[in-house]
Amino acid sequence: MQSEKLEPVNYYVGIDVGTASVRAALVDQFGTVVAYEDHPVKIWAPQPDHYEQSSDDIWAACCTVTKKVTQGINIAQIRGLGFDATCSLVVLDSHFQPLAVNSEGKCNRNVIMWMDHRAAKQVARINETQHSVLCFVGGSMSVEMQPPKLLWLKENLQASCWEKAGYFFDLPDFLSWKATGVTARSLCTLVCKWTYSSEKGWDDSFWKLIGLEDLIADKYAKIGMIGTNVKGYNLPCENQSIASRIAVICGTSSCHMGISESPVFVPGVWGPYYSAMVPEFWLNEGGQSVTGKLIDHVVRGHTAFPELQTKAAASAQSIYTYLNGHLDLIKKSLPVGFLTVDLHVWPDFHGNRSPLADLTLKGMVVGLTLSQGLDDLALIYLATIQAIALGTRHIVETMQAAGHHVNTMFMCGGLSKNPLFVQMHADITGMPVVLAQEVESVLMGAAILGACASKDFVSLQDAMEKMGRVGRVVLPNHKDKRFYDKKYQVFLKLMEHQQEYKAIMQTV
């Protein structure tokens, strides 16, 4: 018998540049992750609220992980490549060489990271203008966006950086330029972080008003969410518009992405942005400035952390898997979430991105005791996760009050691998949480974009349906609703108290 000739498999590379590492996955045409690699990237923090990286270091890491995941694969079968990255600001001179974004003149440190808050004064002045473009960023601009960072560079590093700069890139646009040599910018980044309008273009009056009129020259030459097929899971959103879903991308920080067919203006939530994520839909983007970083900060700063490290290593578990198991041991007959009945956290240790849009807010913990043991560490870990989920509920309810109609949460990112984090979000928001079949779903999204670029699929929707699949659905425990409603009441009281404390101290 003559053997049947097998058709060669097509592959796509997804690259995700996160806060502390670069990850890559090789994905086949059926949506299966065939290979995965990650590589750390450097972060410099020369002074409080200053966070910098190196575009050369980031690009080298991208090359390293890509070579590893494609090793042994016929290059003709690699049909496309897609990037996603943090909204950090990359600065290059007119010859595409790195420029220092610091007073030390260290040109290798040419990236102002997304979580850098050095431009607090500049963003306050921008918001005082009350320019009409601010209506499309939730009413006030975030310090994490690019205009305040650009203004800081002009006011603090005019001779060494601003006057020499030839190109300002959002990090994902820098990566696409490195890969292709084309300086064209993504509509998504320009609309969401630079005030560009998909309908009207740039607003010259805004840049003139804030003191960055020099960027208008040469037609702004210097600055020039992937879904999942959910049918068959009996979800509230199944037979409804895509606008009934909210996507939560949770890693070092978290983003909450909701879309609508007409513009919805949500106080303290970025947007609405037209066609920035899904063509012909309006995007609103809520967010929390620190989530994974906050959990790490709380756990690693506790006096019982060395004990946790030792016991987790002895059981061959991650510290968070061990903590989740330890919570199950101490919960007794009650649901695990009820352990924090007397312990409450306000999670804005790095300011509030949404829906309060107040970078001056600080974190709070109410209910501390003199305990310093592992039980105490497990409880503060649980209370922190709950606080993040309560913050998500605050964002969702604010979006719903403004006109969004979301009833199902789609979650991806590093924190979605933690079952306690996912369950607390389901219980506290009262919504089912959908997880992708592939754990590395952010990389899958990047690979799907690469697949679209290859023209192997007729549309983005076609690629999503053939490569993106639901893994499981986490349902809320409705019997615990009353407890979490009470926790939410306490959460809102903490917000009121912090605002009262600030008002009192401003009179000093």
Side-chain angles (χ1 to χ4, degrees):
M1 289 180 61
Q2 190 175 10
S3 61
E4 185 178 345
K5 186 178 180 181
L6 297 176
E7 290 291 327
V9 174
N10 290 333
Y11 296 100
Y12 313 94
V13 177
I15 301 174
D16 170 39
V17 180
T19 301
S21 66
V22 173
R23 305 178 305 141
L26 183 69
V27 181
D28 68 21
Q29 65 197 56
F30 309 107
T32 302
V33 173
V34 178
Y36 168 86
E37 289 289 343
D38 61 36
H39 194 280
V41 289
K42 299 173 185 175
I43 298 175
W44 288 269
Q47 54 185 294
D49 289 331
H50 287 230
Y51 296 94
E52 299 167 4
Q53 289 182 314
S54 163
S55 63
D56 286 345
D57 179 53
I58 291 170
W59 182 248
C62 289
C63 295
T64 296
V65 293
T66 302
K67 287 176 181 177
K68 288 182 178 179
V69 298
T70 58
Q71 189 171 11
I73 303 294
N74 182 345
I75 194 169
Q77 293 176 259
I78 301 173
R79 302 278 298 152
L81 181 149
F83 290 103
D84 72 78
T86 64
C87 59
S88 299
L89 177 67
V90 182
V91 185
L92 306 178
D93 67 16
S94 57
H95 302 289
F96 296 99
Q97 296 303 305
L99 277 176
V101 295
N102 49 76
S103 57
E104 299 99 312
K106 302 291 186 181
C107 287
N108 62 311
R109 289 157 39 196
N110 68 315
V111 179
I112 300 180
M113 292 183 67
W114 66 268
M115 63 182 183
D116 186 291
H117 282 191
R118 71 180 69 184
K121 293 180 179 178
Q122 285 74 20
V123 79
R125 295 206 311 272
I126 290 172
N127 287 327
E128 286 171 1
T129 67
Q130 298 184 346
H131 193 281
S132 59
V133 301
L134 300 179
C135 295
F136 293 88
V137 292
S140 62
M141 183 166 286
S142 167
V143 72
E144 296 174 15
M145 293 181 176
Q146 309 303 9
K149 293 174 182 174
L150 293 169
L151 188 56
W152 187 93
L153 289 173
K154 182 176 182 179
E155 294 179 349
N156 291 272
L157 301 174
Q158 182 154 11
S160 62
C161 179
W162 184 257
E163 293 178 355
K164 295 179 180 179
Y167 301 92
F168 297 102
F169 285 102
D170 220 274
L171 181 53
D173 290 333
F174 166 81
L175 297 171
S176 64
W177 164 71
K178 287 290 287 186
T180 66
V182 177
T183 59
R185 310 304 206 270
S186 161
L187 184 65
C188 178
T189 56
L190 289 186
V191 170
C192 295
K193 300 298 184 292
W194 299 72
T195 76
Y196 184 82
S197 168
S198 303
E199 297 181 303
K200 301 178 181 178
W202 297 107
D203 189 325
D204 293 357
S205 66
F206 169 72
W207 297 96
K208 292 175 182 177
L209 186 61
I210 67 171
L212 291 176
E213 61 280 351
D214 21 356
L215 291 177
I216 299 173
D218 298 322
K219 298 181 179 179
Y220 294 87
K222 289 186 178 182
I223 59 175
M225 168 158 114
I226 299 299
T228 304
N229 184 8
V230 298
K231 293 181 179 178
Y233 288 85
N234 198 31
L235 292 168
C237 68
E238 190 167 315
N239 297 310
Q240 297 180 17
S241 163
I242 192 174
S244 63
R245 312 171 188 181
I246 186 166
V248 180
I249 303 96
C250 44
T252 303
S253 62
S254 292
C255 299
H256 303 71
M257 320 288 276
I259 61 172
S260 56
E261 294 180 8
S262 57
V264 178
F265 293 86
V266 187
V269 174
W270 300 346
Y273 304 128
Y274 185 65
S275 287
M277 186 172 73
V278 180
E280 298 182 6
F281 278 81
W282 294 82
L283 168 68
N284 283 102
E285 180 185 350
Q288 294 160 295
S289 293
V290 287
T291 47
K293 185 175 178 64
L294 174 60
I295 296 169
D296 248 18
H297 173 78
V298 168
V299 170
R300 294 178 183 275
H302 197 279
T303 54
F305 180 67
E307 179 187 354
L308 169 63
Q309 275 187 307
T310 300
K311 290 185 174 179
S315 61
Q317 294 179 312
S318 74
I319 57 174
Y320 296 115
T321 300
Y322 188 89
L323 278 174
N324 292 349
H326 190 77
L327 286 167
D328 285 334
L329 291 176
I330 65 177
K331 72 176 185 179
K332 299 180 181 177
S333 61
L334 291 173
V336 68
F338 287 31
L339 288 169
T340 60
V341 65
D342 295 319
L343 184 61
H344 312 281
V345 173
W346 178 261
D348 292 330
F349 284 47
H350 197 54
N352 182 284
R353 186 188 298 171
S354 302
L356 304 178
D358 186 347
L359 64 87
T360 68
L361 291 183
K362 312 297 181 188
M364 287 194 291
V365 182
V366 176
L368 292 174
T369 70
L370 293 176
S371 173
Q372 295 182 319
L374 192 55
D375 287 2
D376 182 70
L377 170 51
L379 291 178
I380 192 67
Y381 160 71
L382 172 60
T384 302
I385 286 178
Q386 289 175 333
I388 293 168
L390 289 163
T392 291
R393 176 170 170 174
H394 194 200
I395 292 167
V396 170
E397 290 192 357
T398 303
M399 293 175 69
Q400 289 172 331
H404 279 278
H405 303 283
V406 296
N407 54 35
T408 306
M409 184 180 300
F410 288 69
M411 185 176 286
C412 64
L415 289 176
S416 68
K417 301 173 188 177
N418 184 332
L420 180 65
F421 185 89
V422 176
Q423 189 65 60
M424 286 297 102
H425 274 72
D427 291 349
I428 287 170
T429 64
M431 292 193 292
V433 178
V434 180
L435 301 173
Q437 183 175 27
E438 285 292 350
V439 176
E440 301 298 340
S441 48
V442 174
L443 284 170
M444 176 64 71
I448 288 175
L449 292 178
C452 291
S454 73
K455 302 291 175 46
D456 287 345
F457 298 88
V458 297
S459 66
L460 179 60
Q461 184 71 28
D462 181 40
M464 285 163 46
E465 290 179 355
K466 292 175 180 174
M467 296 178 67
R469 298 185 294 274
V470 169
R472 65 190 180 98
V473 177
V474 178
L475 299 174
N477 295 309
H478 291 297
K479 67 182 187 303
D480 300 338
K481 180 179 185 300
R482 185 172 181 275
F483 175 79
Y484 291 115
D485 284 347
K486 295 290 186 182
K487 287 282 289 187
Y488 188 55
Q489 289 179 30
V490 174
F491 182 84
L492 296 179
K493 281 293 182 185
L494 292 178
M495 175 184 70
E496 292 176 12
H497 290 329
Q498 178 155 178
Q499 291 169 335
E500 290 171 0
Y501 300 153
K502 283 180 61 182
I504 292 170
M505 295 309 296
Q506 284 174 355
T507 64
V508 175

